Amino acid sequence: LDAADANGLTPLMIVAARGDKLIAEELINAGANPACIDKLGRSAGQIAKENGYHHLADVLSPSCVQLTESGARDLLQGGMSMK
């Protein structure tokens, strides 16, 4: 899930650049790491913000994703669940 291309972009980063919240949620649920950085030092959240997807950038902020006791990832911001 966190394999990167030649530019250091992970699938989550590519989805973030396109603003696709549903696919981003699926990737997070599957265990994608929002804290990964590309060769320019950007996270998926930063890439989303650069492309004007501020709502997605907030959701992808590594501080907003928590691993729960059950092992499922939940979004903490905005009361949204990634389940």
Side-chain angles (χ1 to χ4, degrees), residues 52-80:
Y53 302 111
H54 298 278
H55 64 286
L56 184 55
D58 292 340
V59 167
L60 291 174
S61 172
S63 64
C64 295
V65 178
Q66 171 183 317
L67 189 60
T68 63
E69 289 181 28
S70 66
R73 289 180 180 243
D74 296 326
L75 287 182
L76 302 177
Q77 192 161 10
M80 298 176 359

Side-chain angles (χ1 to χ4, degrees), residues 8 11 13-16 19 22-24 28 33 35 38 46 49-51 54 60 62-63 74 76 78-79 83:
M13 293 173 184
I14 294 167
V15 167
L22 293 176
I23 300 298
I28 293 287
N33 183 354
D38 68 5
Q46 291 168 318
K49 188 173 185 177
E50 287 177 5
N51 286 283
H54 298 278
L60 291 174
S63 64
D74 296 326
L76 302 177
K83 293 179 183 176

Side-chain angles (χ1 to χ4, degrees), residues 37-48:
I37 57 170
D38 68 5
K39 288 188 175 184
L40 298 176
R42 304 172 302 168
S43 68
Q46 291 168 318
I47 292 170

